[in-house]
Amino acid sequence: MGKTVIAGPCSVESREQLREATEVLGQMPEVTMIRAGVWKPRTRPGGFEGLGEPALRWMQELSAEFGVSYCCEVARPEHVALCQQYGISAVWLGARTTGNPFMVEEICQALRGSDMQVMVKNPTSPDVSLWLGAIERLQATGIERISAVHRGFAMYNNRGYRNAPLWEVVLELRRKVPEVPVLCDPSHIGGRRELVAPLAMAARQLDYDGLMVEMHPHPEAALTDAAQQLSPADLRTLLDSYLAPPAAADAASDPRLTPLRQQIDDVDHELLTLLSRRMELSRNIAAVKRDRGMTVYQSKRWNDVVADRLQLAQTLGLDAGFTRDLLEKIHAESVRVQLDM
Ligand code: PEP
Ligand code: MN
């Protein structure tokens, strides 16, 4: 299926900036729609907060002149009414709005009876129910064209991203609502220009339905999100790789896949068998600790275990972050088993 590509500046900054961006994007037939923020939710006060209604007027004029469509974020019911007034027929709920069911409900009431297309960014926290809840509220309002946008999650440790991708959260959403298309917003995940293309390519590998990506005619001078907006030339290069022809339809029947998949199945079975043995050992250890009045958690022992396993992981060529996460999961389960909860 063809990919949706939404691209454009983080914010509308002036009539000239929007016109320049539109001229560039109008030359890219792959771009389905132009994004441009009109009301900007700022984490801290004092930044550029968007131009509001005049920006919508420019969008209306430029859309007639260039034959393009625009979309923008709505964060309050009044924003929906203004978009309708200026002929904007696609909007999105920002990450901070999706996390606020009261506001989602109010926006739904404003959307009721319209045929607007609505995109729902993931909430800032990795809470699938909250994301799903906003989608369900829109569905219950009778909105027919709904899609989800993955913009990453605010975590204490984002591992170098502006917002941690946590791809697995999106996979869970897709399992729950397979009918809802999912776009990737690599700009807000990466937070830095150089991360945008690799993230977009990862989304392609995960078979997302498209992208929402920030592009500014002069990114270094942008009033918001200057570090992550692509230049027109960078966007062109990205689209060329992102939209390169997909694998042939018969790729899944390549005879090399079957034996490799068989081996993966075998390894997974072995891993689970080993984990079960490890938990059995934890139960035995718990009995000894109980007997001797020792606490379940022994910090020195655990630090030694982590250090030893990280060293082994390095020798084996395993990623340290992955190994640490895996050890933490195993340890949490071992503690649960020892507490017999
Ligand atoms: C944006 O798209 O510019 C934006 C502010 O997004 P988010 O809600 O994902 O932070
Ligand atoms: Mn932005």
Side-chain angles (χ1 to χ4, degrees):
M1 228 188 65
K3 301 281 188 201
T4 300
V5 177
I6 299 177
C10 179
S11 316
V12 179
E13 299 170 2
S14 67
R15 192 176 191 286
E16 293 59 44
Q17 174 249 13
L18 185 62
R19 168 178 271 277
E20 211 178 333
T22 304
E23 271 169 0
V24 167
L25 295 163
Q27 301 287 321
M28 298 186 185
E30 307 91 336
V31 174
T32 329
M33 198 158 37
I34 301 180
R35 61 147 286 148
V38 167
W39 300 280
K40 299 307 297 176
R42 305 318 301 267
T43 304
R44 298 175 63 197
F48 175 69
E49 296 199 321
L51 296 176
E53 196 168 345
L56 295 175
R57 192 171 314 116
W58 302 330
M59 285 176 169
Q60 190 171 42
E61 288 166 15
L62 292 168
S63 111
E65 185 180 338
F66 288 91
V68 296
S69 337
Y70 294 93
C71 56
C72 70
E73 174 176 349
V74 289
R76 311 178 59 80
E78 307 86 272
H79 297 165
V80 174
L82 279 165
C83 284
Q84 286 166 342
Q85 190 181 325
Y86 289 95
I88 306 291
S89 58
V91 294
W92 75 83
L93 305 186
R96 294 156 195 81
T97 304
T98 307
N100 177 355
F102 281 128
M103 194 45 74
V104 173
E105 191 54 46
E106 284 191 33
I107 292 173
C108 282
Q109 294 321 317
L111 286 163
R112 190 175 287 283
S114 83
D115 63 353
M116 285 176 109
Q117 179 183 343
V118 185
M119 293 167 276
V120 185
K121 291 231 189 171
N122 65 257
T124 52
S125 57
D127 181 340
V128 176
S129 307
L130 210 46
W131 197 0
L132 192 59
I135 292 171
E136 287 167 344
R137 282 178 201 276
L138 287 160
Q139 286 171 330
T141 306
I143 299 297
E144 279 173 6
R145 289 177 302 151
I146 302 174
S147 40
V149 181
H150 173 210
R151 52 77 82 195
F153 302 91
M155 309 296 289
Y156 179 63
N157 177 0
N158 283 338
R159 301 239 156 90
Y161 297 102
R162 179 177 180 190
N163 291 290
L166 307 186
W167 304 100
E168 64 278 19
V169 176
V170 188
L171 295 179
E172 191 183 334
L173 181 87
R174 286 163 73 184
R175 267 195 302 276
K176 292 196 162 139
V177 278
E179 73 281 12
V180 173
V182 182
L183 310 182
C184 179
D185 170 350
S187 310
H188 290 91
I189 299 178
R192 286 184 285 134
R193 254 182 290 293
E194 61 273 24
L195 292 179
V196 172
L199 285 162
M201 294 314 283
R204 176 181 147 121
Q205 289 292 327
L206 294 174
D207 202 23
Y208 278 43
D209 299 282
L211 297 178
M212 177 191 275
V213 58
E214 289 187 342
M215 185 230 68
H216 191 289
H218 308 284
E220 56 302 325
L223 297 185
T224 53
D225 291 350
Q228 72 192 29
Q229 301 207 56
L230 296 184
S231 66
D234 286 348
L235 178 64
R236 184 65 267 157
T237 309
L238 166 61
L239 293 185
D240 288 342
S241 10
Y242 181 75
L243 298 170
D250 62 355
S253 61
D254 187 307
R256 288 170 298 182
L257 283 178
T258 313
L260 289 170
R261 285 187 165 156
Q262 180 62 53
Q263 288 177 63
I264 292 252
D265 291 350
D266 291 347
V267 169
D268 280 353
H269 289 196
E270 266 178 60
L271 279 173
L272 290 178
T273 308
L274 286 172
L275 282 172
S276 154
R277 218 175 96 206
R278 197 186 189 288
M279 294 310 153
E280 193 49 44
L281 292 168
S282 294
R283 271 187 207 96
N284 296 343
I285 280 192
V288 177
K289 286 177 180 164
R290 236 187 336 268
D291 199 33
R292 300 302 306 256
M294 278 166 79
T295 56
V296 162
Y297 179 60
Q298 298 282 322
S299 62
K300 162 130 187 18
R301 164 72 182 153
W302 178 239
N303 291 339
D304 292 347
V305 166
V306 172
D308 172 76
R309 307 313 186 251
L310 284 176
Q311 200 170 19
L312 175 61
Q314 195 181 11
T315 322
L316 296 172
L318 282 169
D319 179 78
F322 165 73
T323 307
R324 199 179 281 277
D325 285 352
L326 185 65
L327 286 172
E328 271 163 18
K329 272 247 175 311
I330 293 174
H331 187 233
E333 178 61 6
S334 169
V335 166
R336 189 189 69 77
V337 161
Q338 293 186 54
L339 293 174
D340 201 17
M341 284 172 76

